[in-house]
Amino acid sequence: MEQEVGESLIQLGNSDGSNSSSSDPVTRVRKLLFRRMLVGIKDGRFFLGTFHCLDKQGNIILQDTIEYRSTRRSSPSPMEQRCLGLVLIPSSCQNSCHVDCSVEEQLSLLKAKMI
């Protein structure tokens, strides 16, 4: 199961560092630590790894990452994959961001977004 978290990540990246404005986004991002995350980038590649870090600019660091990209050659598999390890994905390249979590967690994240 996946839950879109891009809005939370952008809010955190845009926070000014004061405790009152960043406490809610920081709490939401802390809940995502060490979860499997799928990040799509603008050139069509996807990175699946464990969420490790998010900086103030919105750059994401994934560990134990696998890169998936489509192949244009005729092969049995339409996607190629390779193991990369630790990867930094700049916020300017990010197209989508999903995290693996249970249905209950998805509902709690949605409720927190609506408030």
Side-chain angles (χ1 to χ4, degrees):
M1 308 241 164
E2 296 177 342
Q3 171 66 38
E4 182 133 353
V5 295
E7 186 176 307
S8 298
L9 299 176
I10 291 169
Q11 287 176 357
L12 180 62
N14 292 337
S15 70
D16 60 358
S18 65
N19 287 338
S20 61
S21 66
S22 65
S23 63
D24 187 43
V26 169
T27 303
R28 282 191 269 173
V29 171
R30 280 188 179 157
K31 290 179 182 179
L32 303 175
L33 285 174
F34 311 114
R35 294 184 184 251
R36 298 297 287 172
M37 184 175 282
L38 179 69
V39 179
I41 62 172
K42 294 178 182 176
D43 67 2
R45 291 180 292 164
F46 291 91
F47 296 92
L48 178 64
T50 305
F51 179 65
H52 184 72
C53 179
L54 176 75
D55 66 11
K56 213 171 191 181
Q57 291 77 29
N59 303 319
I60 296 174
I61 295 179
L62 299 177
Q63 61 187 20
D64 302 324
T65 306
I66 299 173
E67 174 194 28
Y68 294 93
R69 61 184 174 148
S70 63
T71 59
R72 294 200 164 85
R73 296 172 260 137
S74 59
S75 66
S77 174
M79 296 289 280
E80 277 186 0
Q81 66 180 25
R82 63 180 178 157
C83 296
L84 299 176
L86 197 63
V87 174
L88 183 138
I89 304 168
S91 61
S92 60
C93 296
Q94 297 168 15
N95 196 18
S96 63
C97 184
H98 302 274
V99 67
D100 188 25
C101 63
S102 69
V103 174
E104 292 81 17
E105 290 171 314
Q106 288 182 25
L107 291 173
S108 69
L109 285 171
L110 288 172
K111 288 178 185 175
K113 263 186 177 179
M114 298 176 98
I115 294 176

